[in-house]
Structure formats: structure tokens, C-alpha cells
Amino acid sequence: MEKLIITAALTGAENTREATPHLPITPREIAADARRCMEAGASIVHVHARREDGTPTQDKEVYREIIHLIRQECPGLIIQVSTGGAVGMTPEERLQPVSLAPDMATLSAGSVNFGNDVFLNPPQVIQTFARAIVEKSVTPEIEVFEAGMIDNALRLVKAGILALPLHFDFVLGVPGGMGGTPEALIYLKNQLPPGCTWTVAGVGRAQLPLAAMAIILGGHVRVGLEDNIYYRKGELAANAQLVERVVRLAAELGRQVASPMEARKILNIDREVGAC
Ligand code: KMH
Ligand code: ZN
């Protein structure tokens, strides 16, 4: 089996310092957590930016600083920026960090209810984002909250905007999206064309069981405070603790963990390391 790629989703756009004191918010805090996660075994960091007051932002300059600090702290680590941002942001706002040519960027492949809101990704927006990502030679990660989003991404392949093989992230357990169940994960991974890779981001209590399943099924794993702030019921976690647990699980299950350089190979990220 391919080595296991662990992504640390450090901050997200939704969780707050009030909910957990472990949430990294400033560029320095984010870079320091990225280093702890890399040392623990993560090869990708999924990055969201926050303003000083903790509110989410897609401001290119804040991302520039985060990327610069992560590059200093964590040579080789794969930096994946969010183009999802927070619900309610305009597409123009959301797309800003792609212009910095990071290693990877997310591409949400459809609209979905998101708690009490709607995470809006109409076809034109998905196409515009895909074109912008490809134009900068950034590797996309297709965010899938619902089964039809795989078809949406494959439609972009048919249209010649994206090329196979693609890397997918199944985000399961968002209230409004597909549930965080074993059946959902198995269904989704079975829809992918040969050669595509996938990771799973289980939300809340789905994080740990879906991570274990992905290790066994040959997928990859995303953990972190963006998706889940608890180590176990009632006990808050830090990002690196969640990564460390996946590393231990992988060892018990006989799956080796990929280094950032190995993850670059698996995901066909052929840009020069640290190019952005
Ligand atoms: N914050 C969510 C609305 C992504 O990073 O690309 C969207 C999200 C997806 O987090
Ligand atoms: Zn995100």
C-alpha cells in the first residue's frame, strides 16, 4: 500500500478561541503549529487565515505571511491553501491565496448546506477557481461534501479544465452534507477513477473512525482543529496530538507514514520545493 499522507487542518474558518484555547490564529501561531504537526508526521498543512480579532479572512497578505513563516519553520512541508474560506465570502475574496502559487489549493466541487448556512459553489465559480488553480500550476484537492461533487469534478476533466489523476478530500459529517459513516466513505472512494487518490476529513466524532478506515482502505487522512477540537469526549486536543494519534494508529495497522517529499511524489506535485 502507498505510504499514508497526513494532512493537518490547523485552523479552519469556523472554530473559535472561545471553543478551544489550542486554536492557532496568528501567522506565527499557525506556523508554530505547522512545525509541531510536521514533526509529528504530517506532510500537508491545510491553511486558513484569520484576522487579529480571530475572524476568518482570505486576505492575500495574511496568507503571504503565513506561507513565508511556514516555509521558514518547515522546509518541504506541503502548503495547501483554502479557497473555501468561510460561508458568505465572495468568490473573489476566496480565490486570493491562489495567486501566491502555493503547493496546493482546495477546490470545493459543489454547493452544500453548511450548518445553518449555505456554502455556495455554483458551476461558474467552480470553473473559474479550477482555471485559476491550473494556471498557477497549483495542485488542486477536490473537496467533496456530497456524492455528486465527484461527478462535478469529473465534468471539469471532460471539459479539459482539470486532468486526471486528481486528489480528493471527502469531508464527511458537516451538518447539511454527507454523514460521517463507513458506508458513505466506501461509496465515495469506489466512485473514483483509477489512479486518483483520496483523503478523508471526518468532522467531530467521525474524525477518528474514518481515519482508521482510511488507513486500512489505502486512503489518506486529514485531522486537525478545523474539523474536530476533541481528543475524546470532553477532552480538548491540540493539532499535533491529533496527528500523533494517526501516526500511532498507522503503525499498529502496518501502514508507513509518508514524508513531505514522498507525499509530493504520490500527489504529483512537481513544482520546486518552496517555490511560492
Ligand atoms: N469553511 C468552509 C465553509 C476549504 O477549505 O476549501 C469551507 C472549507 C473548505 O473549509
Ligand atoms: Zn478548510
Side-chain angles (χ1 to χ4, degrees):
M1 225 181 248
E2 224 165 37
K3 286 192 181 180
L4 177 72
I5 299 171
I6 302 174
T7 299
L10 303 172
T11 303
E14 288 81 24
N15 281 320
T16 62
R17 264 290 164 70
E18 287 68 47
T20 172
H22 301 297
L23 192 74
I25 286 186
T26 67
R28 279 201 183 281
E29 288 168 351
I30 291 171
D33 238 15
R35 185 164 59 76
R36 284 189 278 267
C37 287
M38 183 182 181
E39 286 168 357
S43 45
I44 303 177
V45 277
H46 170 70
V47 174
H48 283 254
R50 300 287 182 104
R51 296 187 190 88
E52 275 176 22
D53 66 2
T55 55
T57 177
Q58 289 292 100
D59 188 325
K60 183 176 163 181
E61 295 313 315
V62 184
Y63 272 93
R64 194 194 300 280
E65 191 182 351
I66 295 170
I67 290 171
H68 170 71
L69 291 173
I70 295 178
R71 287 269 170 264
Q72 273 186 345
E73 293 273 335
C74 320
L77 184 63
I78 298 169
I79 300 179
Q80 178 192 87
V81 300
S82 168
T83 66
V87 286
M89 287 178 172
T90 65
E92 294 73 25
E93 247 179 308
R94 286 168 48 187
L95 198 50
Q96 291 177 73
V98 172
S99 65
L100 299 168
D103 299 308
M104 295 183 82
T106 57
L107 176 62
S108 291
S111 301
V112 62
N113 287 351
F114 201 94
N116 292 325
D117 299 302
V118 180
F119 181 36
L120 207 57
N121 295 288
Q124 287 306 325
V125 167
I126 304 173
Q127 283 183 23
T128 303
F129 280 29
R131 286 204 170 91
I133 289 169
V134 167
E135 193 181 302
K136 284 283 179 189
S137 304
V138 172
T139 302
E141 178 183 89
I142 310 298
E143 306 300 301
V144 170
F145 298 80
E146 284 286 357
M149 294 189 191
I150 296 176
D151 304 275
N152 292 345
L154 297 181
R155 230 169 266 130
L156 295 178
V157 173
K158 235 185 176 165
I161 300 170
L162 294 179
L164 291 175
L166 285 168
H167 179 62
F168 291 80
D169 177 26
F170 303 135
V171 187
L172 300 181
V174 171
M178 217 164 166
T181 62
E183 291 80 5
L185 181 60
I186 288 179
Y187 177 79
L188 292 173
K189 73 121 188 139
N190 285 343
Q191 306 312 305
L192 300 185
C196 288
T197 49
W198 59 274
T199 191
V200 66
V203 173
R205 72 176 77 124
Q207 190 168 84
L208 181 58
L210 293 183
M213 282 189 70
I215 294 169
I216 295 164
L217 292 170
H220 303 282
V221 172
R222 172 172 125 173
V223 289
L225 301 188
E226 171 163 347
D227 307 321
N228 164 46
I229 61 173
Y230 292 105
Y231 191 82
R232 58 173 72 85
K233 195 171 179 347
E235 189 184 324
L236 293 170
N239 277 308
Q241 274 180 295
L242 297 170
V243 174
E244 284 161 6
R245 177 161 65 180
V246 173
V247 171
R248 285 196 301 276
L249 268 179
E252 289 293 337
L253 293 167
R255 184 113 183 251
Q256 286 186 299
V257 172
S259 68
M261 292 312 290
E262 290 166 336
R264 283 174 190 273
K265 275 219 177 81
I266 294 167
L267 299 176
N268 303 308
I269 301 175
D270 56 8
R271 63 171 45 243
E272 207 184 304
V273 175
C276 71

